[in-house]
Amino acid sequence: MTSGTFSLDGGSWEVDNNVWIVGTDTECVLIDAPHDAVPIIAAIGDRQLRAILLTHAHDDHVRVVPDILEACHGAQVALHPADRMLWDLTHPGLAPTRDLHDGDIVSVGDVDLHVIHTPGHSPGACCFHAPELGVVFSGDTLFAGGPGATGRSYSDFDTIIASIRDRLFELPDHTVVHTGHGESTTIGAERPHLDEWIARGH
């Protein structure tokens, strides 16, 4: 976990972000790059960083990408192209090196991460499902207790509900949901509450 700020639409908020690393003793991928590169680089250690996989491009998820690239040469930066306008707000002089698309598979060691495009929190939001591990990395699409926020620019409540219902809730109940903020949960624990979320509107 790293701590810092999320800024958009002229506002700024203090946030704690989860950082996820998936791999082996020799290679890994990083899921999101928030706030502070030092502990992230330390956690990667002497492994080869194959890619930085971005769940979306809000600044609190991409802030230290350049610092990590400087320390871990050769890593790809992978982002869904629908979030490029958000990326450019933070890193206008740096382009991602790989476009993520629904159905892509990113392999590291013996783990395949399946890309699931889940727009709503942002247009290019993606989750990464690792069937071999029984986990999905949900970014800010699904949290313990409800969907990600949709009150800022480029977000939409009906769209995030459709993404959760039609894509994430198709995963097995036992699937552990590792989120972008806060505690992990499971698909089975969250699925029964969908109608409550729709009724409350957030």
Side-chain angles (χ1 to χ4, degrees):
M1 181 187 297
T2 64
S3 300
T5 60
F6 161 58
S7 301
L8 189 65
D9 297 338
S12 186
W13 301 265
E14 295 289 332
V15 288
D16 298 323
N17 287 58
N18 296 325
V19 183
W20 303 101
I21 297 172
V22 181
T24 68
D25 290 339
T26 58
E27 63 178 6
C28 63
V29 296
L30 173 68
I31 298 174
D32 289 341
H35 306 309
D36 185 354
V38 173
I40 298 173
I41 293 166
I44 292 168
D46 60 3
R47 291 178 286 183
Q48 178 189 5
L49 180 64
R50 298 275 303 279
I52 304 171
L53 306 180
L54 300 172
T55 60
H56 62 295
H58 285 153
D59 64 351
D60 60 319
H61 290 256
V62 305
R63 175 70 66 195
V64 297
V65 167
D67 300 315
I68 294 170
L69 289 178
E70 184 176 352
C72 304
H73 301 290
Q76 291 186 319
V77 179
L79 175 72
H80 193 286
D83 260 21
R84 182 61 188 271
M85 73 292 186
L86 288 167
W87 167 271
D88 287 344
L89 293 175
T90 306
H91 300 302
L94 178 68
T97 54
R98 174 176 176 176
D99 287 344
L100 292 175
H101 296 286
D102 189 69
D104 286 353
I105 297 176
V106 179
S107 298
V108 58
D110 57 358
V111 173
D112 291 335
L113 292 165
H114 297 251
V115 178
I116 306 173
H117 181 212
T118 52
H121 182 68
S122 68
C126 288
C127 300
F128 305 107
H129 178 219
E132 297 93 342
L133 302 179
V135 305
V136 62
F137 300 93
S138 64
D140 288 4
T141 295
L142 177 62
F143 295 121
T150 53
R152 309 291 169 206
S153 293
Y154 310 113
S155 64
D156 183 77
F157 179 74
D158 291 341
T159 302
I160 202 171
I161 287 294
S163 291
I164 293 170
R165 180 190 62 227
D166 300 339
R167 305 305 307 279
L168 296 185
F169 283 174
E170 291 298 307
L171 300 176
D173 281 0
H174 67 263
T175 305
V176 175
V177 181
H178 289 318
T179 63
H181 308 270
E183 298 298 319
S184 296
T185 183
T186 66
I187 293 295
E190 301 305 321
R191 187 186 289 110
H193 301 289
L194 180 64
D195 289 342
E196 300 169 26
W197 306 339
I198 294 171
R200 77 188 187 198
H202 61 84

